[in-house]
Amino acid sequence: MTIALLFAGLLLLLFTGLPIFAGLAVFGGGLLLATQGELGSVTEVMFGEMNRYLLVAIPLFAFMAYVMIRSRIVDDLYQTAYTLTRHLPGGLGIATILACTIFAAISGSSVATALTIGAVAIPQMIRFGYDPRAAYGLVAAGGTLGILIPPSGPMILYGVTTDTSIGGLFMAGIIPGLVMAGVFVAYSMVTTALKHRHIRREPRASLAEAMASIRKSLWALSLPVFVLGGMYAGLFTATEAAAAGAWLALFVGVVIYRTLGLREIWDAAIDASRISAMLFMILAGASVFGHVLTKLRIPQQIVEAVTAADIGVTGFLVVMMGLVFILGMFLESIAIILITTPVILPVMHHLDINPIWYGVLLVINLELAQITPPVGMNLFTIKAITQAPMGAIVRGSAPYVLLMIAVMALVMLWPQIALWLPGTMRG
């Protein structure tokens, strides 16, 4: 009962419109004052949480992403994907998913992926005869791959919170991300073949045309291979990979594409600083809230409750995924990670749940939050691009919610989908 009241009180405070970082800090500080009679440990807790070398990866990966976005490489990526798939049923939809998959491995952001790919893809899909709702849903869902396919800001924060290898988490997201993309591609092909036969198709690209298109995008395609391959081979830590990726992104933008000047680099740095500062403020607020929960022995009470209920690993995961799904309708993904993870970490240790496996399940669930109303950020992103009615965007995204739940269930039933690749890493 105490646990439920605490979380209900926090959610009510956040629903007042108070910024998430302030709500966490104020609520945690108030509880600390009420139960301990002092606030002396707050600054120490905040500093201890923020003073972590791994957090340097967040602004570096964000800078890499914004540099590549401002290099305007998305047109080449999209054109290459379309050249290779234009002869297939739903070829343009397939190209959109492939472009989202590749761009996700560059940007690490669902909103950036949906915004950047959507601005190019949605008008083109509608011109080719796609139902506008189908186009909206495809891009909204494709954009969610941004936080599953590494690099991923939520994975970094989860790794820091649980003291889990970020490189391992990144590798664990690759196969589920590709499975998710493959499910979206299959759905696009089947629905096009069955329902949208009038959609325009073009002849298969010649080998020369396909190779020329791939060569044009080769530098953009090399970035995720360089970053993830370096971590897989043990050449980079996550932070070193972020720094190396940022330098490569600058090289591609300035030397290869020649679309980056000092102004664009400065703007990319400002954007990266802004998003990083927001995440760090939420992390600082969450550290206070987590500290209070520890003082009140809430995690130990949850372990005792789970042990008494004897629900086992599967039951616990189902309950947690249901809770995260509900929270995802109202809260930011980062807030969900930082509020729930410290509380359930002792339970995960007690049940011997692999933190990398749980991290992938959590991120898939947070992907769902991007396309479920009322606070699905990708839904609002598509609306900003198209000015379409929100109802049409939600209806277009609904089938993908079911597909994503199916993939999450698949990873829950067969953990090796997520755990096989990290198990083969060097170093």
Side-chain angles (χ1 to χ4, degrees):
M1 181 60 73
T2 303
I3 300 168
L5 288 175
L6 283 175
F7 280 97
L10 176 61
L11 291 176
L12 286 174
L13 184 61
L14 295 178
F15 287 157
T16 65
L18 194 68
I20 291 173
F21 79 91
L24 289 167
V26 168
F27 190 74
L31 282 175
L32 193 63
L33 190 61
T35 56
Q36 306 294 312
E38 50 87 24
L39 293 174
S41 58
V42 167
T43 53
E44 184 180 340
V45 168
M46 283 186 171
F47 182 80
E49 190 67 29
M50 301 297 295
N51 188 28
R52 299 196 190 201
Y53 175 68
L54 283 173
L55 291 175
V56 177
I58 290 177
L60 288 172
F61 273 128
F63 180 65
M64 179 188 80
Y66 282 113
V67 165
M68 294 303 282
I69 290 170
R70 290 183 180 276
S71 299
R72 296 188 287 277
I73 66 166
V74 68
D75 291 344
D76 286 347
L77 287 175
Y78 188 70
Q79 188 57 46
T80 298
Y82 180 59
T83 299
L84 299 176
T85 62
R86 68 191 188 193
H87 60 285
L88 298 171
L92 195 58
I94 297 170
T96 300
I97 293 298
L98 293 180
C100 285
T101 304
I102 298 167
F103 195 76
I106 295 172
S107 71
S109 164
S110 289
V111 172
T113 303
L115 179 64
T116 310
I117 301 296
V120 178
I122 290 174
Q124 182 88 334
M125 292 176 73
I126 293 173
R127 276 199 303 272
F128 270 60
Y130 282 78
D131 180 350
R133 287 187 302 181
Y136 305 151
L138 187 67
V139 174
T144 65
L145 295 169
I147 62 171
L148 179 58
I149 294 178
S152 164
M155 280 187 173
I156 294 174
L157 284 180
Y158 172 81
V160 169
T161 304
T162 60
D163 198 23
T164 301
S165 164
I166 292 172
L169 285 165
F170 280 4
M171 292 303 117
I174 293 175
I175 293 178
L178 294 178
V179 169
M180 187 88 72
V183 169
F184 291 170
V185 164
Y187 179 76
S188 179
M189 292 180 69
V190 169
T191 53
T192 300
L194 295 179
K195 298 181 181 179
H196 307 296
R197 298 178 185 275
H198 60 284
I199 290 175
R200 198 170 95 205
R201 289 167 62 180
E202 295 190 8
R204 182 192 298 267
S206 66
L207 180 60
E209 189 179 1
M211 293 306 295
S213 183
I214 291 172
R215 278 196 300 272
K216 194 173 181 181
S217 296
L218 199 57
W219 279 101
L221 295 171
S222 70
L223 186 64
V225 174
F226 173 72
V227 171
L228 299 177
M231 284 191 290
Y232 180 79
L235 300 177
F236 304 139
T237 65
T239 306
E240 292 165 349
W247 277 111
L248 181 58
L250 283 171
F251 176 78
V252 171
V254 174
V255 178
I256 305 301
Y257 279 82
R258 299 183 181 179
T259 52
L260 280 184
L262 289 176
R263 180 66 189 179
E264 287 76 20
I265 295 172
W266 175 257
D267 288 341
I270 292 296
D271 289 339
S273 300
R274 185 180 293 115
I275 191 70
S276 300
M278 180 193 73
L279 294 178
F280 292 158
M281 289 173 73
I282 295 174
L283 181 60
S287 68
V288 178
F289 181 64
H291 176 67
V292 175
L293 294 182
T294 302
K295 287 279 189 181
L296 297 177
R297 300 189 74 255
I298 298 299
Q300 291 86 343
Q301 292 178 37
I302 294 176
V303 170
E304 292 167 4
V306 170
T307 303
D310 194 26
I311 59 176
V313 172
T314 302
F316 173 75
L317 290 176
V318 169
V319 170
M320 280 308 305
M321 291 303 103
L323 175 62
V324 171
F325 180 79
I326 294 170
L327 290 175
M329 296 180 179
F330 305 101
L331 296 179
E332 290 277 355
S333 299
I334 301 304
I336 295 171
I337 293 173
L338 297 176
I339 291 171
T340 63
T341 304
V343 178
I344 66 162
L345 195 56
V347 183
M348 291 167 56
H349 292 322
H350 175 75
L351 295 176
D352 199 24
I353 294 173
N354 189 307
I356 291 179
W357 176 39
Y358 179 83
V360 172
L361 291 171
L362 176 63
V363 171
I364 294 174
N365 210 328
L366 296 177
E367 287 185 301
L368 281 165
Q370 303 294 318
I371 58 172
T372 50
V375 192
M377 290 305 298
N378 282 16
L379 303 179
F380 289 100
T381 300
I382 301 303
K383 182 169 179 60
I385 296 171
T386 63
Q387 302 303 313
M390 183 59 77
I393 300 170
V394 171
R395 286 194 293 274
S397 304
Y400 295 94
V401 172
L402 299 177
L403 294 175
M404 292 165 72
I405 291 174
V407 173
M408 182 167 63
L410 194 66
V411 176
M412 190 182 295
L413 291 172
W414 287 283
Q416 284 303 308
I417 296 174
L419 298 178
W420 174 75
L421 194 56
T424 65
M425 287 177 65
R426 297 179 184 177

